[in-house]
Amino acid sequence: MELLKHQNSHLRELAAAAILSLSSAESNKSTLASSCAPNLLSQVLCSGSVQARVDAVTSLYNLSTSEHEPKLVLDAKAVVPPLISLLKECKKYSKFAAKTTFLLEILSSSEQGRGAITNVDGGISFITLVVDHASPKEMSCS
């Protein structure tokens, strides 16, 4: 986790990739979700390379699918703008778009999340466009 805090962006990106690997195992999800990893991954969403941001989204998605407590908790105000930005940059019907949309769906379950989504210029209309035009198969994250 300390590498995600490092000033060197290359080290942060390597740490995000390592968290991605760790977040793939169910046995690691609750430990990672309760650590500082989600907040640090949120920072990578804002300032990382394309690959680091993809790794961060995928890690957050993996952590959000944990079957155990504690569940993933994210700061919607910090996470929603870069998620919508990434959604606008990626192919609308990719698995990556599906994972990003899934995270936004989770965030929309809270008042803070809905407010954050509403505050992003064009956020709701873009999310609607992605969801309306994707088939269930395209939006499947599995």
Side-chain angles (χ1 to χ4, degrees):
M1 300 299 164
E2 291 301 315
L3 289 178
L4 280 172
K5 298 177 188 177
H6 203 278
Q7 295 301 320
N8 183 314
S9 61
H10 183 67
L11 289 177
R12 280 196 313 268
E13 292 175 13
L14 290 173
I19 300 258
L20 172 59
S21 295
L22 292 169
S23 71
S24 298
E26 185 64 38
S27 60
N28 295 330
K29 291 180 182 183
S30 62
T31 302
L32 287 170
S34 65
S35 72
C36 61
N39 288 332
L40 296 171
L41 289 168
S42 299
Q43 292 173 12
V44 170
L45 286 177
C46 296
S47 62
S49 68
V50 172
Q51 185 59 55
R53 293 183 300 162
V54 168
D55 291 349
V57 166
T58 306
S59 296
L60 292 170
Y61 170 80
N62 288 346
L63 296 177
S64 71
T65 61
S66 177
E67 298 172 2
H68 306 289
E69 295 293 330
K71 297 292 185 184
L72 178 66
V73 176
L74 296 170
D75 177 5
K77 288 181 182 178
V79 174
V80 166
L83 284 175
I84 292 176
S85 176
L86 283 169
L87 193 58
K88 288 178 180 180
E89 293 174 24
C90 72
K91 289 173 144 180
K92 292 181 191 85
Y93 313 117
S94 66
K95 285 188 178 188
F96 179 74
K99 290 176 182 177
T100 305
T101 304
F102 182 81
L103 290 170
L104 288 165
E105 179 182 345
I106 291 169
L107 290 162
S108 72
S109 67
S110 73
E111 186 67 36
Q112 182 190 35
R114 288 187 297 276
I117 291 168
T118 304
N119 289 332
V120 173
D121 187 35
I124 291 176
S125 61
F126 195 80
I127 292 169
T128 303
L129 175 71
V130 171
V131 173
D132 282 349
H133 290 89
S135 71
K137 181 180 178 185
E138 291 168 328
M139 290 305 289
S140 172
C141 293
S142 50

